[in-house]
Amino acid sequence: MQVLCKASTMATDIQCSVCGQYFQVFWERTNPTEREAAREEILAALKAQHTTNRGTDAHGACFNLPEWNGSPKYSGAALLGNAPATTFQAA
């Protein structure tokens, strides 16, 4: 399942356990069971982004989990979150 995470000062969908940064989460699918299963993966990925940096700048302002290297027009989560095209690499 594709998930788009956008750094946020207001939305509290999920919070990094290392730096406390909040993220708004846009889910490709809306099934609550799938969301709950993916939540732990998101938290682990956020923690892993802190391998060399403990601050909030360890995260991008907007990123997909799992990482998406294609066009945003093919990522449902990116479309839902109105992700900027600069977030993605050309396929």
Side-chain angles (χ1 to χ4, degrees):
M1 170 174 36
Q2 192 77 48
V3 177
L4 176 74
C5 297
K6 278 182 147 178
S8 177
T9 56
M10 292 191 222
T12 59
D13 293 340
I14 202 160
Q15 183 179 23
C16 177
S17 64
V18 177
C19 67
Q21 173 68 53
Y22 288 105
F23 291 89
Q24 187 173 12
V25 180
F26 297 90
W27 306 88
E28 192 172 46
R29 298 187 185 128
T30 58
N31 181 317
T33 304
E34 289 178 316
R35 285 185 182 195
E36 190 55 40
R39 186 174 178 77
E40 292 302 316
E41 292 177 40
I42 295 167
L43 290 170
L46 290 172
K47 188 174 182 178
Q49 291 176 353
H50 285 283
T51 55
T52 59
N53 184 336
R54 305 288 291 171
T56 57
D57 55 343
H59 310 291
C62 183
F63 57 90
N64 273 80
L65 296 173
E67 191 172 318
W68 179 260
N69 291 324
S71 168
K73 70 180 182 178
Y74 298 115
S75 168
L79 291 172
L80 290 170
N82 196 25
T86 57
T87 303
F88 305 92
Q89 299 173 1

